[in-house]
Amino acid sequence: QLEMRVSEVVKVIELVRALDEGTADVGEHVNWSGMLDVERMSIAGHSFGAATALEAAFGQDVSSPSLAPRFDACLALDAWMFPIPDETYTRANAEEGGYNN
């Protein structure tokens, strides 16, 4: 399930980037072209959402160009750590500003 959620994050990032480029097919209601700062994105979540945020920000699979470069900030509230690979947790705590209490 964690992999599925991270793939959903990838799809959202692709949509946000397409909105910023003006290439998203979302109707004619709003023009988001050039209005989003896609160079500085953050991700946050609580519980399993926090696990998803950590895996999306620090996970091993960097094959998707949508996740490169990684997020500039990740806020994980009360993360459910069971589904997160140890390597992801280690990378998250090694990042500058990483903190676990």
Side-chain angles (χ1 to χ4, degrees):
Q1 187 178 13
L2 185 60
E3 291 174 7
M4 180 186 73
R5 287 185 175 210
V6 171
S7 71
E8 290 171 341
V9 169
V10 170
K11 290 177 185 175
V12 169
I13 293 170
E14 290 170 350
L15 176 60
V16 168
R17 288 186 174 156
L19 285 167
D20 186 60
E21 294 166 358
T23 60
D25 184 18
V26 292
E28 300 178 19
H29 303 291
V30 178
N31 181 3
W32 292 93
S33 182
M35 300 189 66
L36 303 170
D37 188 354
V38 296
E39 300 303 318
R40 298 185 307 163
M41 289 196 278
S42 303
I43 189 167
H46 173 262
S47 190
F48 201 91
T52 303
L54 285 168
E55 187 63 20
F58 301 104
Q60 186 73 15
D61 183 14
V62 295
S63 60
S64 172
S66 296
L67 290 180
R70 297 291 186 163
F71 294 95
D72 292 299
C74 176
L75 178 62
L77 301 170
D78 193 21
W80 184 38
M81 300 307 286
F82 177 74
I84 301 173
D86 291 340
E87 299 81 23
T88 299
Y89 183 72
T90 300
R91 275 191 296 280
N93 278 308
E95 289 289 321
E96 181 177 333
Y99 178 74
N100 181 32
N101 185 7

XYZ file of all heavy atoms in Angstrom:
765
model
N 0.822 -1.193 0.000
C 0.000 0.000 0.000
C 0.871 1.265 0.000
O 0.488 2.268 -0.587
C -0.930 -0.010 1.195
C -1.923 1.121 1.138
C -2.900 1.103 2.289
O -2.725 0.396 3.256
N -3.936 1.896 2.181
N 2.035 1.220 0.633
C 2.901 2.391 0.666
C 3.366 2.751 -0.742
O 3.367 3.924 -1.119
C 4.103 2.142 1.583
C 5.041 3.318 1.819
C 4.295 4.489 2.447
C 6.207 2.892 2.697
N 3.730 1.750 -1.525
C 4.153 2.008 -2.914
C 3.030 2.655 -3.716
O 3.280 3.550 -4.523
C 4.597 0.712 -3.578
C 5.881 0.144 -3.016
C 6.218 -1.205 -3.598
O 5.531 -1.659 -4.545
O 7.168 -1.831 -3.108
N 1.800 2.201 -3.509
C 0.658 2.778 -4.216
C 0.483 4.249 -3.843
O 0.272 5.102 -4.707
C -0.619 2.010 -3.890
C -1.847 2.557 -4.589
S -3.367 1.767 -4.062
C -3.573 2.467 -2.448
N 0.610 4.545 -2.569
C 0.450 5.934 -2.128
C 1.554 6.829 -2.669
O 1.303 7.964 -3.052
C 0.409 6.004 -0.604
C -0.901 5.485 -0.053
C -0.956 5.680 1.430
N -2.263 5.296 1.921
C -2.820 5.845 2.984
N -2.192 6.797 3.635
N -3.999 5.448 3.389
N 2.788 6.326 -2.708
C 3.886 7.121 -3.268
C 3.641 7.352 -4.756
O 3.879 8.446 -5.268
C 5.256 6.454 -3.010
C 6.364 7.160 -3.773
C 5.565 6.453 -1.516
N 3.119 6.349 -5.460
C 2.808 6.547 -6.887
C 1.716 7.595 -7.062
O 1.711 8.346 -8.043
C 2.411 5.224 -7.550
O 1.143 4.793 -7.119
N 0.791 7.685 -6.109
C -0.231 8.734 -6.161
C 0.403 10.108 -5.943
O 0.000 11.087 -6.573
C -1.316 8.464 -5.118
C -2.170 7.257 -5.457
C -3.114 6.841 -4.349
O -2.887 7.244 -3.179
O -4.057 6.103 -4.628
N 1.391 10.184 -5.068
C 2.115 11.442 -4.855
C 2.789 11.859 -6.156
O 2.756 13.031 -6.549
C 3.152 11.308 -3.711
C 4.082 12.506 -3.663
C 2.455 11.115 -2.370
N 3.395 10.897 -6.844
C 4.050 11.178 -8.132
C 3.037 11.769 -9.112
O 3.323 12.757 -9.793
C 4.706 9.910 -8.715
C 5.167 10.136 -10.149
C 5.871 9.469 -7.843
N 1.848 11.192 -9.179
C 0.815 11.688 -10.089
C 0.395 13.116 -9.735
O 0.176 13.942 -10.620
C -0.395 10.759 -10.078
C -0.123 9.428 -10.743
C -1.310 8.506 -10.642
C -0.962 7.138 -11.212
N -2.045 6.181 -11.015
N 0.304 13.412 -8.438
C -0.056 14.767 -8.018
C 1.046 15.746 -8.425
O 0.765 16.836 -8.933
C -0.319 14.827 -6.502
C -0.423 16.267 -6.015
C -1.582 14.055 -6.157
N 2.302 15.367 -8.224
C 3.414 16.238 -8.610
C 3.390 16.491 -10.117
O 3.577 17.626 -10.568
C 4.767 15.625 -8.189
C 4.871 15.601 -6.670
C 5.930 16.404 -8.791
C 6.041 14.809 -6.153
N 3.142 15.454 -10.888
C 3.066 15.615 -12.347
C 1.933 16.566 -12.723
O 2.090 17.414 -13.610
C 2.893 14.253 -13.014
C 4.142 13.401 -12.923
C 3.929 11.960 -13.365
O 2.760 11.549 -13.579
O 4.929 11.243 -13.483
N 0.785 16.462 -12.043
C -0.338 17.360 -12.313
C 0.006 18.798 -11.936
O -0.270 19.734 -12.694
C -1.593 16.904 -11.568
C -2.806 17.830 -11.695
C -3.239 17.982 -13.154
C -3.949 17.332 -10.828
N 0.621 18.986 -10.777
C 0.992 20.335 -10.342
C 1.967 20.963 -11.339
O 1.829 22.134 -11.716
C 1.579 20.310 -8.913
C 2.237 21.629 -8.557
C 0.499 19.957 -7.907
N 2.933 20.182 -11.789
C 3.893 20.708 -12.774
C 3.198 21.030 -14.091
O 3.507 22.036 -14.733
C 5.040 19.731 -12.968
C 5.962 19.711 -11.757
C 7.187 18.869 -11.955
N 8.071 19.039 -10.800
C 8.958 18.156 -10.422
N 9.127 17.046 -11.099
N 9.721 18.384 -9.367
N 2.255 20.187 -14.511
C 1.507 20.451 -15.742
C 0.635 21.699 -15.589
O 0.500 22.489 -16.534
C 0.658 19.236 -16.109
N 0.043 21.888 -14.411
C -0.737 23.105 -14.163
C 0.152 24.335 -14.286
O -0.234 25.333 -14.904
C -1.371 23.065 -12.766
C -2.575 22.165 -12.569
C -2.882 22.006 -11.086
C -3.774 22.698 -13.324
N 1.338 24.262 -13.715
C 2.261 25.395 -13.770
C 2.721 25.675 -15.199
O 2.941 26.823 -15.570
C 3.469 25.136 -12.867
C 4.371 26.345 -12.779
O 3.896 27.406 -12.333
O 5.552 26.234 -13.166
N 2.872 24.622 -16.002
C 3.293 24.788 -17.395
C 2.137 25.179 -18.306
O 2.340 25.522 -19.466
C 3.918 23.486 -17.898
C 5.212 23.128 -17.204
C 5.644 21.696 -17.470
O 4.914 20.953 -18.171
O 6.712 21.310 -16.961
N 0.911 25.087 -17.794
C -0.257 25.401 -18.601
C -0.659 24.282 -19.545
O -1.403 24.505 -20.492
N -0.177 23.061 -19.266
C -0.476 21.930 -20.148
C -1.478 20.948 -19.557
O -1.817 19.962 -20.201
C 0.820 21.171 -20.495
O 1.422 20.688 -19.281
C 1.794 22.065 -21.235
N -1.950 21.196 -18.346
C -2.902 20.285 -17.702
C -4.285 20.466 -18.301
O -4.722 21.584 -18.565
C -2.948 20.537 -16.207
N -4.975 19.363 -18.515
C -6.329 19.404 -19.047
C -7.317 19.328 -17.883
O -7.779 18.257 -17.512
C -6.551 18.250 -20.010
C -7.918 18.303 -20.665
O -8.546 19.379 -20.643
O -8.362 17.263 -21.185
N -7.615 20.476 -17.292
C -8.513 20.523 -16.141
C -9.699 21.446 -16.384
O -10.340 21.901 -15.459
C -7.752 20.965 -14.862
C -6.757 19.908 -14.440
C -7.070 22.299 -15.063
N -9.961 21.737 -17.614
C -11.060 22.639 -17.935
C -10.555 24.053 -18.127
O -9.374 24.331 -18.071
N -11.488 24.942 -18.340
C -11.126 26.318 -18.650
C -11.414 27.279 -17.506
O -11.456 28.481 -17.698
C -11.896 26.766 -19.897
C -11.595 25.907 -21.105
C -12.419 26.338 -22.309
O -12.923 27.476 -22.316
O -12.559 25.519 -23.220
N -11.589 26.756 -16.318
C -12.006 27.597 -15.199
C -10.887 28.454 -14.625
O -11.090 29.607 -14.306
C -12.619 26.736 -14.092
C -13.767 25.919 -14.574
N -14.968 26.474 -14.939
C -13.887 24.589 -14.778
C -15.783 25.520 -15.346
N -15.155 24.375 -15.250
N -9.699 27.888 -14.503
C -8.594 28.603 -13.863
C -7.325 28.375 -14.673
O -7.049 27.271 -15.118
C -8.369 28.096 -12.421
C -7.201 28.808 -11.775
C -9.614 28.277 -11.579
N -6.568 29.430 -14.843
C -5.273 29.310 -15.499
C -4.190 29.421 -14.434
O -3.941 30.494 -13.900
C -5.098 30.398 -16.562
C -3.771 30.285 -17.268
O -2.981 29.373 -17.015
N -3.511 31.211 -18.160
N -3.523 28.313 -14.123
C -2.488 28.271 -13.105
C -1.100 28.474 -13.702
O -0.108 28.447 -12.974
C -2.515 26.929 -12.385
C -3.730 26.732 -11.544
C -4.884 26.122 -11.917
C -3.924 27.152 -10.201
N -5.781 26.120 -10.887
C -5.203 26.755 -9.815
C -3.120 27.825 -9.286
C -5.715 27.005 -8.557
C -3.615 28.068 -8.023
C -4.907 27.664 -7.668
N -1.005 28.673 -14.979
C 0.282 28.755 -15.663
C 1.196 29.804 -15.021
O 0.848 30.970 -14.907
C 0.059 29.095 -17.138
O 1.287 29.129 -17.817
N 2.380 29.345 -14.578
C 3.370 30.224 -13.983
C 3.058 30.702 -12.577
O 3.763 31.547 -12.043
N 2.004 30.171 -11.968
C 1.587 30.668 -10.652
C 2.022 29.769 -9.495
O 1.810 30.121 -8.333
C 0.073 30.835 -10.636
C -0.412 31.825 -11.688
S -2.131 32.239 -11.533
C -2.145 33.109 -9.989
N 2.591 28.623 -9.805
C 2.967 27.679 -8.754
C 4.489 27.589 -8.657
O 5.180 27.605 -9.672
C 2.379 26.297 -9.065
C 0.865 26.274 -9.233
C 0.400 24.934 -9.763
C 0.186 26.588 -7.917
N 5.002 27.479 -7.456
C 6.441 27.361 -7.251
C 6.788 25.873 -7.180
O 6.853 25.289 -6.106
C 6.858 28.075 -5.972
C 8.361 28.141 -5.807
O 9.088 27.529 -6.628
O 8.817 28.796 -4.872
N 7.007 25.267 -8.345
C 7.282 23.835 -8.397
C 8.738 23.510 -8.080
O 9.110 22.345 -8.016
C 6.887 23.242 -9.765
C 5.389 23.362 -9.989
C 7.657 23.902 -10.888
N 9.543 24.527 -7.880
C 10.949 24.302 -7.537
C 11.154 24.158 -6.032
O 12.223 23.755 -5.593
C 11.819 25.446 -8.067
C 11.747 25.605 -9.573
C 12.129 24.325 -10.312
O 13.106 23.661 -9.908
O 11.444 23.992 -11.298
N 10.142 24.513 -5.247
C 10.241 24.411 -3.787
C 8.973 23.766 -3.249
O 8.068 24.438 -2.799
C 10.445 25.791 -3.163
C 11.732 26.456 -3.597
C 11.967 27.763 -2.885
N 10.799 28.638 -3.011
C 10.583 29.690 -2.231
N 11.417 29.994 -1.275
N 9.531 30.446 -2.416
N 8.932 22.451 -3.289
C 7.744 21.739 -2.826
C 7.999 21.064 -1.486
O 9.117 20.644 -1.196
C 7.317 20.704 -3.856
C 6.728 21.324 -5.100
S 5.822 20.146 -6.113
C 7.169 19.408 -6.999
N 6.951 20.976 -0.709
C 6.987 20.317 0.596
C 5.946 19.217 0.608
O 5.009 19.224 -0.191
C 6.666 21.311 1.706
O 7.564 22.390 1.678
N 6.105 18.294 1.525
C 5.130 17.226 1.701
C 4.943 17.005 3.196
O 5.890 17.138 3.977
C 5.561 15.929 0.978
C 4.432 14.906 1.002
C 6.871 15.386 1.534
C 4.645 13.732 0.057
N 3.718 16.706 3.593
C 3.421 16.481 5.007
C 2.349 15.408 5.121
O 1.580 15.171 4.188
C 2.935 17.778 5.660
N 2.317 14.764 6.258
C 1.298 13.764 6.497
C 1.264 13.353 7.953
O 2.186 13.628 8.718
N 0.175 12.675 8.317
C -0.006 12.176 9.672
C -0.228 10.669 9.612
O -0.963 10.178 8.751
C -1.208 12.864 10.328
C -1.553 12.273 11.657
N -2.554 11.343 11.804
C -1.017 12.462 12.891
C -2.626 10.989 13.074
N -1.702 11.657 13.759
N 0.414 9.935 10.505
C 0.281 8.499 10.627
C 0.711 7.815 9.323
O 1.860 7.935 8.926
C -1.144 8.132 11.050
O -1.216 6.765 11.398
N -0.192 7.118 8.644
C 0.221 6.468 7.390
C 0.533 7.508 6.324
O 1.379 7.285 5.452
C -0.862 5.510 6.884
C -0.309 4.476 5.945
C 0.141 3.267 6.429
C -0.214 4.728 4.595
C 0.679 2.315 5.566
C 0.314 3.787 3.730
C 0.762 2.573 4.220
N -0.099 8.667 6.390
C 0.241 9.766 5.488
C 1.652 10.259 5.734
O 2.364 10.660 4.809
N 2.092 10.227 6.988
C 3.467 10.598 7.312
C 4.444 9.575 6.762
O 5.518 9.921 6.259
C 3.639 10.740 8.816
N 4.081 8.300 6.831
C 4.919 7.254 6.230
C 5.027 7.480 4.728
O 6.100 7.349 4.133
C 4.339 5.873 6.536
N 3.921 7.836 4.111
C 3.916 8.135 2.676
C 4.812 9.325 2.375
O 5.604 9.297 1.429
C 2.476 8.421 2.197
O 1.650 7.295 2.505
C 2.435 8.702 0.710
N 4.700 10.365 3.187
C 5.523 11.561 2.977
C 7.004 11.227 3.103
O 7.823 11.654 2.279
C 5.124 12.651 3.974
N 7.371 10.473 4.121
C 8.773 10.095 4.305
C 9.289 9.263 3.138
O 10.387 9.496 2.638
C 8.951 9.322 5.616
C 8.895 10.144 6.887
C 8.784 9.239 8.109
C 10.123 11.035 6.996
N 8.500 8.304 2.699
C 8.939 7.445 1.592
C 9.032 8.241 0.294
O 9.954 8.040 -0.502
C 7.990 6.258 1.433
C 8.464 5.232 0.435
C 9.775 4.548 0.807
O 10.167 4.548 1.993
O 10.418 4.000 -0.105
N 8.101 9.152 0.067
C 8.149 9.977 -1.150
C 9.350 10.919 -1.127
O 9.975 11.167 -2.154
C 6.858 10.777 -1.301
N 9.688 11.429 0.051
C 10.780 12.394 0.159
C 12.153 11.739 0.241
O 13.122 12.270 -0.302
C 10.563 13.285 1.385
N 12.235 10.588 0.881
C 13.548 10.002 1.154
C 13.690 8.561 0.683
O 14.701 7.924 0.949
C 13.841 10.040 2.661
C 13.818 11.413 3.239
C 12.737 11.844 3.986
C 14.869 12.282 3.033
C 12.708 13.113 4.529
C 14.850 13.560 3.564
C 13.766 13.979 4.318
N 12.674 8.031 0.001
C 12.678 6.627 -0.395
C 13.764 6.279 -1.399
O 14.351 7.138 -2.047
N 13.987 4.999 -1.543
C 15.045 4.471 -2.404
C 14.765 4.699 -3.884
O 15.672 4.952 -4.651
C 15.186 2.957 -2.146
C 16.333 2.311 -2.872
C 17.675 2.674 -2.257
O 17.740 3.170 -1.144
N 18.735 2.430 -2.979
N 13.518 4.596 -4.312
C 13.185 4.654 -5.738
C 13.214 6.090 -6.231
O 12.275 6.844 -6.058
C 11.804 4.043 -5.989
C 11.456 4.010 -7.464
O 12.372 4.201 -8.296
O 10.290 3.792 -7.786
N 14.312 6.451 -6.852
C 14.437 7.787 -7.433
C 14.344 7.712 -8.951
O 14.755 8.616 -9.651
C 15.759 8.480 -7.007
C 15.755 8.740 -5.525
C 16.964 7.647 -7.410
N 13.792 6.618 -9.462
C 13.717 6.427 -10.906
C 12.710 7.367 -11.557
O 12.795 7.646 -12.743
C 13.348 4.975 -11.228
O 12.090 4.662 -10.658
N 11.757 7.854 -10.782
C 10.759 8.749 -11.343
C 11.288 10.171 -11.397
O 11.672 10.729 -10.371
C 9.479 8.719 -10.512
O 8.609 9.725 -10.957
N 11.304 10.778 -12.576
C 11.749 12.167 -12.657
C 10.849 13.107 -11.867
O 11.255 14.201 -11.514
C 11.702 12.480 -14.152
C 10.861 11.433 -14.763
C 10.905 10.240 -13.866
N 9.633 12.665 -11.565
C 8.712 13.508 -10.809
C 9.170 13.719 -9.375
O 8.793 14.686 -8.737
C 7.317 12.884 -10.808
O 6.814 12.835 -12.111
N 9.967 12.798 -8.853
C 10.449 12.939 -7.488
C 11.859 13.516 -7.429
O 12.439 13.635 -6.366
C 10.421 11.592 -6.762
C 9.041 11.058 -6.432
C 9.153 9.715 -5.725
C 8.273 12.026 -5.558
N 12.424 13.842 -8.564
C 13.780 14.400 -8.585
C 13.708 15.840 -9.052
O 13.161 16.109 -10.111
C 14.670 13.578 -9.502
N 14.215 16.825 -8.369
C 14.843 16.656 -7.054
C 13.808 16.385 -5.982
O 12.627 16.623 -6.184
C 15.524 17.998 -6.821
C 14.709 18.966 -7.598
C 14.198 18.210 -8.799
N 14.274 15.920 -4.868
C 13.377 15.584 -3.765
C 12.689 16.831 -3.226
O 12.989 17.943 -3.595
C 14.167 14.911 -2.637
C 14.792 13.608 -3.020
C 13.733 12.579 -3.242
N 14.354 11.286 -3.469
C 13.699 10.154 -3.376
N 12.443 10.139 -3.047
N 14.305 9.034 -3.626
N 11.785 16.604 -2.318
C 11.076 17.714 -1.671
C 12.050 18.556 -0.854
O 13.037 18.052 -0.336
C 9.974 17.174 -0.764
C 8.878 16.488 -1.512
C 8.890 15.122 -1.693
C 7.835 17.219 -2.045
C 7.880 14.491 -2.389
C 6.814 16.601 -2.740
C 6.840 15.227 -2.913
N 11.745 19.825 -0.729
C 12.572 20.715 0.077
C 12.270 20.576 1.564
O 13.101 20.908 2.402
C 12.358 22.165 -0.355
C 12.918 22.398 -1.737
O 14.131 22.214 -1.921
O 12.139 22.756 -2.633
N 11.092 20.103 1.889
C 10.728 19.919 3.290
C 9.760 18.749 3.410
O 8.968 18.491 2.503
C 10.074 21.182 3.842
N 9.872 18.046 4.511
C 8.980 16.921 4.789
C 8.609 16.981 6.263
O 9.476 16.984 7.130
C 9.678 15.603 4.463
S 8.692 14.146 4.895
N 7.308 17.044 6.521
C 6.803 17.064 7.890
C 6.032 15.770 8.122
O 5.013 15.522 7.469
C 5.891 18.280 8.102
C 5.257 18.412 9.479
C 6.327 18.561 10.560
C 4.294 19.575 9.494
N 6.550 14.946 9.018
C 5.924 13.658 9.323
C 5.418 13.695 10.763
O 6.205 13.696 11.704
C 6.924 12.529 9.131
N 4.113 13.740 10.916
C 3.496 13.812 12.241
C 3.036 12.428 12.676
O 2.240 11.785 11.986
C 2.295 14.764 12.211
C 2.603 16.203 11.799
C 1.315 16.970 11.569
C 3.449 16.868 12.862
N 3.563 11.971 13.797
C 3.160 10.685 14.369
C 3.208 9.585 13.307
O 2.245 8.862 13.086
C 1.769 10.799 14.980
C 1.418 9.609 15.874
O 2.352 8.921 16.336
O 0.215 9.375 16.088
N 4.361 9.491 12.648
C 4.509 8.557 11.519
C 4.360 7.110 11.969
O 4.888 6.707 13.003
C 5.868 8.756 10.862
N 3.639 6.358 11.179
C 3.539 4.913 11.378
C 4.766 4.322 10.708
O 4.852 4.262 9.488
C 2.250 4.377 10.776
C 2.044 2.917 11.019
C 2.339 2.218 12.152
C 1.490 1.970 10.109
N 2.009 0.898 12.011
C 1.478 0.718 10.761
C 1.004 2.055 8.816
C 1.005 -0.435 10.159
C 0.524 0.906 8.215
C 0.519 -0.327 8.874
N 5.757 3.919 11.493
C 7.068 3.566 10.966
C 7.146 2.138 10.442
O 8.070 1.803 9.714
C 8.133 3.777 12.048
C 8.217 5.221 12.540
S 8.427 6.431 11.224
C 10.126 6.155 10.815
N 6.193 1.285 10.753
C 6.266 -0.121 10.357
C 6.478 -0.331 8.854
O 7.321 -1.126 8.464
C 5.014 -0.873 10.836
C 4.986 -2.303 10.418
C 5.803 -3.237 11.033
C 4.156 -2.725 9.388
C 5.791 -4.560 10.634
C 4.134 -4.044 8.984
C 4.955 -4.964 9.614
N 5.757 0.379 7.967
C 5.930 0.100 6.536
C 7.145 0.770 5.900
O 7.456 0.524 4.741
C 4.640 0.643 5.910
C 4.222 1.737 6.817
C 4.656 1.308 8.201
N 7.855 1.614 6.653
C 8.959 2.372 6.069
C 10.244 1.556 6.144
O 10.623 1.096 7.228
C 9.164 3.711 6.807
C 7.896 4.544 6.725
C 10.350 4.474 6.248
C 7.938 5.793 7.553
N 10.932 1.376 5.007
C 12.204 0.658 5.034
C 13.221 1.382 5.924
O 13.221 2.614 6.014
C 12.675 0.674 3.575
C 11.445 0.946 2.773
C 10.554 1.770 3.651
N 14.081 0.623 6.593
C 15.089 1.210 7.471
C 15.953 2.230 6.750
O 16.347 3.242 7.330
C 15.985 0.115 8.071
C 15.249 -0.757 9.068
O 14.199 -0.316 9.592
O 15.715 -1.887 9.327
N 16.261 1.978 5.474
C 17.116 2.883 4.705
C 16.462 4.264 4.556
O 17.138 5.291 4.608
C 17.428 2.319 3.322
C 18.166 0.994 3.342
C 17.251 -0.199 3.583
O 16.028 -0.111 3.320
O 17.759 -1.226 4.055
N 15.162 4.279 4.345
C 14.441 5.544 4.213
C 14.509 6.317 5.526
O 14.783 7.518 5.544
C 12.969 5.298 3.830
O 12.935 4.630 2.576
C 12.194 6.596 3.739
N 14.279 5.627 6.623
C 14.328 6.264 7.939
C 15.720 6.825 8.215
O 15.863 7.943 8.706
C 13.920 5.247 9.008
C 13.859 5.804 10.395
C 12.835 6.668 10.761
C 14.824 5.479 11.339
C 12.775 7.191 12.041
C 14.767 6.000 12.617
C 13.745 6.853 12.961
O 13.690 7.371 14.217
N 16.760 6.068 7.856
C 18.138 6.523 8.060
C 18.425 7.771 7.237
O 19.007 8.740 7.737
C 19.127 5.402 7.692
O 18.862 4.274 8.528
C 20.561 5.849 7.870
N 18.012 7.775 5.964
C 18.233 8.946 5.111
C 17.473 10.163 5.649
O 17.981 11.277 5.627
C 17.813 8.655 3.666
C 18.887 7.986 2.849
C 18.520 7.978 1.371
N 17.323 7.198 1.096
C 17.303 5.867 0.987
N 18.400 5.179 1.127
N 16.186 5.239 0.727
N 16.268 9.954 6.114
C 15.459 11.068 6.628
C 16.134 11.700 7.843
O 16.159 12.923 7.970
C 14.064 10.581 6.991
N 16.697 10.899 8.717
C 17.348 11.438 9.908
C 18.728 12.011 9.610
O 19.242 12.798 10.394
C 17.453 10.373 10.995
C 16.158 10.254 11.763
O 15.629 11.233 12.242
N 15.635 9.050 11.853
N 19.324 11.619 8.490
C 20.652 12.127 8.126
C 20.582 13.487 7.444
O 21.568 14.221 7.397
C 21.354 11.128 7.206
N 19.422 13.836 6.893
C 19.275 15.114 6.205
C 19.467 16.266 7.167
O 19.137 16.175 8.344
C 17.884 15.226 5.558
C 17.685 14.334 4.371
C 18.488 14.783 3.158
O 18.595 15.995 2.908
O 19.006 13.891 2.474
N 19.968 17.370 6.634
C 20.139 18.569 7.442
C 18.775 18.985 7.975
O 17.798 19.110 7.227
C 20.725 19.694 6.603
C 20.959 20.956 7.384
C 21.606 22.040 6.547
O 22.321 21.703 5.583
O 21.382 23.204 6.855
N 18.704 19.191 9.251
C 17.442 19.593 9.867
C 16.570 18.415 10.250
O 15.514 18.601 10.823
N 16.992 17.191 9.915
C 16.208 16.018 10.280
C 16.169 15.862 11.793
O 17.155 16.068 12.488
N 15.033 15.537 12.309
C 14.872 15.427 13.753
C 13.820 14.390 14.055
O 12.773 14.345 13.432
C 14.452 16.774 14.346
C 14.214 16.730 15.823
C 15.266 16.644 16.722
C 12.923 16.768 16.327
C 15.028 16.598 18.075
C 12.686 16.729 17.684
C 13.756 16.650 18.548
O 13.528 16.606 19.893
N 14.121 13.551 15.015
C 13.160 12.547 15.451
C 13.096 12.570 16.960
O 14.111 12.497 17.627
C 13.572 11.162 14.960
C 12.580 10.095 15.389
O 11.394 10.363 15.511
N 13.072 8.909 15.629
N 11.891 12.685 17.483
C 11.739 12.711 18.924
C 10.649 11.744 19.328
O 9.617 11.680 18.795
C 11.386 14.125 19.396
C 11.341 14.225 20.902
O 11.697 13.298 21.605
N 10.918 15.366 21.377
